Amino acid sequence: MVSLSRNLILAFLCVLLGFVCFSNAQLSDNFYGTSCRNLQTIVRNVMIQAVNREARLGASILRLFFHDCFVNGCDASILLDDTSTFTGEKNANPNRNSARGYEVIDTIKAQVEAACPNVVSCADILALAARQGTVLLGGPSWAVPLGRRDARTASQSAANTQIPAPSSSLSTLLSMFSAKGLNARDMTALSGSHTIGQARCTTFRNRIYNDTNIDTQFAATRRAGCPASGGDANLAPLDIQSPNRFDNDYYQNLVVRRGLLHSDQELFNGGSQDALVRSYSNNVASFRSDFAAAMVKMGNISPLTGTNGEIRTNCRAIN
């Protein structure tokens, strides 16, 4: 009774004060140790095939996980398709025409269902796939706490307002990450995920044509593939040196004003994160360690556990 009362008081305080509360007590690194022993192997094998086919998919899956966790927690809501009676998050501004890798999650889910029917959530599959994609591109590994369940709802409006935009200022980034329980160090480390992957011209056009804190040669290079108008879907690497290798080049680029997105360069622009960016640019081990810790922390944002949510049989649709 005492424990129950304490939990009710904490829940009430969280609602009253508007805090993001972490209910990860029921998450466990070995949650499926007996109920789905082949889970990790299935995820690893499918991700190996996907990344071998297209290296960019490692970054795409990592981004899916980030965009999922920032909207009502890590609950696989981003995977739900729109229907005539349901509006999901796939067509929210941060996701429309850019979020990708859904078919990889579908493949993993199908194989997991064949091995362990109605046991493993899509939310946990996405968390594991994001870790595996990072590792396959040379990034760090981390123990993924498991036991999340899948949402029966989604929020396009929350996706439109709670996922940081590429035009965000440093103060906006700090505020938006803080709202999810992530501090400034977490934010700067997680931004290092931009050491892999590509961005569309529409997300960096304003920076390469209008920002002044940008290396002129870098801007000229990017303008060649991103005209002042048109070509919105043209791609450029977020990390010009090694877009398919998880390293600390991203931070080295920021130090010499070669961040592709406005929000990237905001991390090194005479503000509070300059020293940390410089530290990561010189110490890849420190970045890798902080990134792994921040990924665990992000993965613990408001998971559905116990009897909340459901275990979807198809990640694209509510049961």
Side-chain angles (χ1 to χ4, degrees), residues 16-134:
L16 181 66
L17 300 176
F19 289 162
V20 173
C21 296
F22 295 84
S23 54
N24 63 328
Q26 298 176 65
L27 298 187
S28 162
D29 298 351
N30 196 38
F31 188 84
Y32 302 106
T34 56
S35 60
C36 194
R37 296 178 187 229
N38 293 331
L39 172 61
Q40 306 266 359
T41 301
I42 293 170
V43 173
R44 182 169 59 251
N45 289 343
V46 174
M47 286 301 296
I48 288 172
Q49 294 171 0
V51 171
N52 283 346
R53 184 172 69 249
E54 183 191 358
R56 184 187 171 203
L57 280 169
S60 297
I61 298 292
L62 180 58
R63 183 171 183 261
L64 270 187
F65 184 54
F66 172 74
H67 283 208
D68 182 42
C69 291
F70 261 58
V71 181
N72 299 329
C74 310
D75 59 4
S77 57
I78 195 173
L79 304 178
L80 291 168
D81 283 344
D82 288 358
T83 70
S84 59
T85 57
F86 180 87
T87 301
E89 296 162 17
K90 289 184 176 179
N91 285 303
N93 292 331
N95 299 325
R96 187 174 58 250
N97 299 323
S98 65
R100 58 198 302 276
Y102 299 112
E103 72 287 346
V104 178
I105 303 302
D106 292 339
T107 300
I108 296 173
K109 180 61 173 175
Q111 293 190 19
V112 169
E113 282 297 303
C116 329
N118 306 311
V119 169
V120 182
S121 68
C122 299
D124 278 345
I125 286 173
L126 182 54
L128 288 169
R131 189 266 308 269
Q132 191 60 50
T134 301

Side-chain angles (χ1 to χ4, degrees), residues 1 77 132 152 161 171 173 180-181 187 194 205 207 219 234 237-238 243 254 259 299 305 316:
M1 284 293 291
S77 57
Q132 191 60 50
R152 296 190 183 97
T161 57
S171 61
L173 292 170
K180 304 301 177 183
M187 183 273 291
H194 286 181
R205 176 183 287 117
R207 168 153 171 75
N234 294 355
L238 286 156
L254 297 185
T305 57
R316 295 175 179 265

Side-chain angles (χ1 to χ4, degrees), residues 152-227:
R152 296 190 183 97
T153 60
S155 177
Q156 187 176 103
S157 61
N160 279 327
T161 57
Q162 296 179 19
I163 297 172
S167 59
S168 297
S169 66
L170 178 59
S171 61
T172 296
L173 292 170
L174 292 170
S175 175
M176 295 183 82
F177 275 75
S178 177
K180 304 301 177 183
L182 300 167
N183 62 33
R185 193 177 192 93
D186 299 326
M187 183 273 291
T188 299
L190 289 170
S191 296
S193 62
H194 286 181
T195 188
I196 53 176
Q198 307 271 332
R200 297 185 306 141
C201 168
T202 186
T203 64
F204 60 85
R205 176 183 287 117
N206 190 62
R207 168 153 171 75
I208 61 175
Y209 285 98
N210 297 316
D211 281 4
T212 56
N213 60 340
I214 187 168
D215 176 79
T216 54
Q217 184 176 352
F218 174 73
T221 298
R222 292 280 68 96
R223 286 172 184 169
C226 181

Side-chain angles (χ1 to χ4, degrees), residues 46 73 216 265 280 291:
V46 174
T216 54
Q265 197 60 55
Y280 287 158
F291 180 84

